[in-house]
Amino acid sequence: SAVISQKPSRDICQRGTSLTIQCQVDSQVTMMFWYRQQPGQSLTLIATANQGSEATYESGFVIDKFPISRPNLTFSTLTVSNMSPEDSSIYLCSVEPGLGFTEAFFGQGTRLTVV
Amino acid sequence: AQSVTQLDSQVPVFEEAPVELRCNYSSSVSVYLFWYVQYPNQGLQLLLKYLSGSTLVKGINGFEAEFNKSQTSFHLRKPSVHISDTAEYFCAVSDSIYGGSQGNLIFGKGTKLSVKP
């Protein structure tokens, strides 16, 4: 399994600013994922972050808006850039713990409110 | 394309009562099904999963779910709930057996279970 620490747990930000969310894992993992959960909506995959390569973004998400870093096998950041109220969501980090695992492990999420 | 529908956004129940949280899916290929639970201020935690074999799957905390292919359903049940079961429950589907661990999950909108004393 994997223990995931996500920071910050919540934040209130002004529109037009940026927020960087950190995800730290207690073991080395190949794949890390970032999800968004908008109010009243399901979780949606934003991007997949593999160490040593550019993140792969899902349809509707772009690097300029959601730049991702993956400097090593235990850490990743997601930045929400030039925020607007529509970016108010819960952002979750998830990891693939290793070969053979069939379920994902999630961080506790970052609850972002943009005012 | 796959999709997941959780028919109830909120389910209030009294303690020790039975509960069923409904989940229907659509998929043109083989599916692998998951239920996750999110307790307040915590991350998602796997409750149970169906990959193959017996259609009745037992998970943690006394929950179980039954895969019904003809009705394309994967409803979650517990015979007697506790206050501590108050949480949000997410049904998810993948077309890959490793989808749950590889970001290839389609989630429902979640059902908030509220257990009252």
Side-chain angles (χ1 to χ4, degrees):
Chain A
S1 64
V3 177
I4 303 166
S5 174
Q6 204 175 318
K7 295 180 181 179
S9 59
R10 59 178 63 229
D11 207 341
I12 300 174
C13 300
Q14 297 290 324
R15 69 175 67 200
T17 63
S18 299
L19 176 72
T20 295
I21 302 168
Q22 299 180 0
C23 180
Q24 179 75 52
V25 190
D26 69 342
S27 58
Q28 293 184 342
V29 295
T30 304
M31 301 172 75
M32 298 180 75
F33 312 95
W34 288 97
Y35 286 85
R36 180 176 73 180
Q37 182 185 4
Q38 293 179 300
Q41 302 297 316
S42 61
L43 281 78
T44 303
L45 182 65
I46 297 172
T48 301
N50 292 334
Q51 194 269 335
S53 63
E54 293 289 327
T56 302
Y57 290 82
E58 298 299 306
S59 176
F61 298 97
V62 295
I63 187 171
D64 289 347
K65 177 66 175 178
F66 298 101
I68 289 172
S69 78
R70 182 78 201 275
N72 56 53
L73 291 173
T74 64
F75 187 77
S76 178
T77 66
L78 169 76
T79 298
V80 186
S81 303
N82 188 24
M83 289 184 285
S84 65
E86 291 70 34
D87 294 319
S88 297
S89 297
I90 299 173
Y91 293 85
L92 294 111
C93 166
S94 172
V95 305
E96 176 200 36
L99 196 63
F101 278 85
T102 55
E103 70 265 18
F105 292 82
F106 288 84
Q108 74 270 36
T110 296
R111 185 178 295 272
L112 170 63
T113 302
V114 183
V115 297
Chain B
Q2 297 175 305
S3 67
V4 177
T5 303
Q6 289 184 246
L7 296 164
D8 305 297
S9 60
Q10 298 190 49
V11 173
V13 295
F14 287 104
E15 194 173 20
E16 297 183 6
V19 70
E20 178 180 81
L21 306 184
R22 295 179 292 171
C23 173
N24 286 88
Y25 68 91
S26 67
S27 176
S28 59
V29 297
S30 298
V31 293
Y32 306 93
L33 296 153
F34 304 80
W35 274 100
Y36 281 86
V37 59
Q38 186 177 30
Y39 297 105
N41 301 314
Q42 295 187 29
L44 274 73
Q45 177 184 358
L46 182 70
L47 206 54
L48 49 78
K49 59 186 176 184
Y50 170 78
L51 302 179
S52 66
S54 172
T55 57
L56 182 63
V57 181
K58 294 188 183 297
I60 62 172
N61 300 338
F63 283 93
E64 63 180 31
E66 185 158 19
F67 171 56
N68 188 319
K69 188 174 182 179
S70 63
Q71 296 187 6
T72 61
S73 68
F74 191 54
H75 301 331
L76 181 70
R77 302 185 183 98
K78 186 170 182 178
S80 175
V81 294
H82 303 287
I83 298 287
S84 59
D85 293 323
T86 295
E88 189 160 17
Y89 293 79
F90 293 90
C91 181
V93 63
S94 174
D95 60 3
S96 164
I97 195 169
Y98 294 111
S101 65
Q102 294 180 0
N104 187 15
L105 279 172
I106 305 298
F107 283 90
K109 292 184 178 181
T111 298
K112 292 183 178 178
L113 176 64
S114 176
V115 182
K116 305 176 186 301

